[in-house]
Amino acid sequence: MSYESALALSLTPYTAGEQPRDRTFIKLNTNENPYPPSPRAAEAAQAQFELLPRYPDQTAAALREAIARVHGLAPEQVFCGNGSDEVLAFAFAAFFAGKTLAAPDITYSFYPVYAKLFGVDYREVPLHADFTVDVPGLLAQRAPIALANPNAPTSLALPLEELRRMAAHCRELEEVLLVDEAYAAFAREDARPLLDEFDNLLIVRTLSKSHGLAGLRVGYALGSPRLTEALARVKDSFNSYPLDCIAQAAAAAAVLDTAYTAQTVARVTATRDKALEAIRHMGLTVLDSQTNFLFVRGQAEDAAPALAFLRENGILVRRFTAPRLRPWLRITVGTDADMEQVTARLQMCKWKGLL
């Protein structure tokens, strides 16, 4: 006897990076920020404790206003959710359910999970051999498009003109272009300027990476009021209160502390570029990162032995099992001290023939 629905039995859930509890690691496997959030976030959170007996603001108005101010938008163009994963799920339900959707074959691995959950005909377009996105291949599907830009786990980004081309194509089809910008703060440019041109563009972001708030679970979307209203309808059909009052207040304070965020992002990108050059200098391949992680490979056809060696030496990184990704390691950018240790251990991996 089976109590589960056919849908529940058919799902292959997203697999998150390891979250160890038994020992201390240099944890570089889930693209977290190595630095704490703005001190203003802690102050704002503390001030909310007396409000815990009451339900939070269903619309997250203050947070939406803060995000809108930073991006030069109206609050009606902002939607907030419990992490960008939830926002993405709502977007799949609101714009792609029952439709065909095009996406790169190597991208954020939650997308096919959402597609299965919401009855989406998910068509994967292979990346080029150099891991760049095949834009003509995506357009040839004549369907809405979901794109992580910069892409994960490759760390590469499409230029703005290619995003404009994709948005225009989707608009002609009367469909949505979803651009998942989890790592946009670390990139050279982002899709925000296109919102002034395209009412079918939805940009999804997170405060987990650039703002150091992964434990708070706050994500948001930017788009036309029509798109954000659709997200709100889906949200209110699942849970009217996905963001608690502490999360809303702390996130708003962190978003408005733009100087602190800029400083943190600059520290991460400086460490990233330094580590990238050091790893390349030892003869390993590293893609040109526009994220807070590095995508690294050596000569081995499978990086599993290197992954195990690094773990044995107290360093957690990420390896994926898809055939094209097995030789690669995704390494989150930590502090300078973290990356010095990683570089030394990668050199040992190379000497031992593990990478």
Side-chain angles (χ1 to χ4, degrees), residues 306-349:
L307 179 81
F309 176 81
L310 292 172
R311 194 182 194 285
E312 291 168 3
N313 284 269
I315 300 172
L316 294 181
V317 299
R318 193 84 189 267
R319 169 189 167 270
F320 299 90
T321 57
R324 290 178 68 186
L325 301 183
R326 288 174 188 161
W328 296 81
L329 294 175
R330 192 195 70 187
I331 304 171
T332 304
V333 176
T335 64
D336 283 333
D338 293 338
M339 301 313 290
E340 287 172 3
Q341 293 203 48
V342 170
T343 301
R345 296 300 185 276
L346 287 174
Q347 183 71 73
M348 294 177 68
C349 285

Side-chain angles (χ1 to χ4, degrees), residues 94-137:
F95 308 116
F96 308 140
K99 297 182 178 182
T100 297
L101 175 68
D105 68 329
I106 296 174
T107 188
Y108 187 27
S109 54
F110 231 138
Y111 298 166
V113 179
Y114 296 142
K116 183 73 173 180
L117 190 61
F118 296 113
V120 178
D121 178 13
Y122 188 73
R123 296 185 181 177
E124 297 181 330
V125 176
L127 297 181
H128 294 302
D130 62 357
F131 286 125
T132 55
V133 172
D134 180 3
V135 174

Side-chain angles (χ1 to χ4, degrees), residues 75-94:
E76 293 74 24
Q77 293 176 273
V78 180
F79 172 85
C80 296
N82 189 245
S84 63
D85 288 338
E86 181 181 76
V87 178
L88 288 167
F90 291 162
F92 270 63

Side-chain angles (χ1 to χ4, degrees), residues 9 17 23 31 48 76 78 80 82-83 102 110 119 163 182 191 204 221 227 239 245 262 265 267 280 283 301 331 350:
L9 292 173
R23 58 173 287 192
N31 297 343
Q48 293 296 309
E76 293 74 24
V78 180
C80 296
N82 189 245
F110 231 138
L163 298 181
V204 178
L227 299 188
N239 179 7
C245 60
V265 168
R267 293 177 71 182
R280 280 182 176 170
E301 292 302 315
I331 304 171
K350 185 182 178 186

Side-chain angles (χ1 to χ4, degrees), residues 243-302:
L243 282 177
D244 61 69
C245 60
I246 293 175
Q248 291 186 35
V255 165
L256 292 174
D257 195 353
T258 55
Y260 182 91
T261 301
Q263 181 184 47
T264 299
V265 168
R267 293 177 71 182
V268 171
T269 54
T271 301
R272 176 196 69 193
D273 295 344
K274 179 180 177 182
L276 186 151
E277 291 303 320
I279 296 171
R280 280 182 176 170
H281 186 71
M282 68 176 70
L284 299 178
T285 298
V286 189
L287 299 189
D288 292 322
S289 177
Q290 293 198 50
T291 63
N292 69 335
F293 61 86
L294 301 174
F295 207 42
V296 180
R297 73 161 296 173
Q299 298 301 314
E301 292 302 315
D302 194 330

Side-chain angles (χ1 to χ4, degrees), residues 14 19 27 29-38 41 63 67 81-88 108 110 180-186 204-220 243 247 250-252 254-255 260-261 264-265 268 291-293 330 332-333:
Y14 169 76
Q19 298 286 0
K27 190 173 180 302
N29 65 329
T30 50
N31 297 343
E32 296 151 325
N33 195 312
Y35 303 110
S38 164
L63 175 56
I67 293 170
N82 189 245
S84 63
D85 288 338
E86 181 181 76
V87 178
L88 288 167
Y108 187 27
F110 231 138
D180 181 357
E181 291 194 334
Y183 304 98
F186 308 97
V204 178
R205 294 194 179 181
T206 176
L207 301 187
S208 296
K209 321 298 183 183
S210 54
H211 291 75
L213 291 172
L216 202 63
R217 311 310 303 128
V218 179
Y220 62 92
L243 282 177
V255 165
Y260 182 91
T261 301
T264 299
V265 168
V268 171
T291 63
N292 69 335
F293 61 86
R330 192 195 70 187
T332 304
V333 176

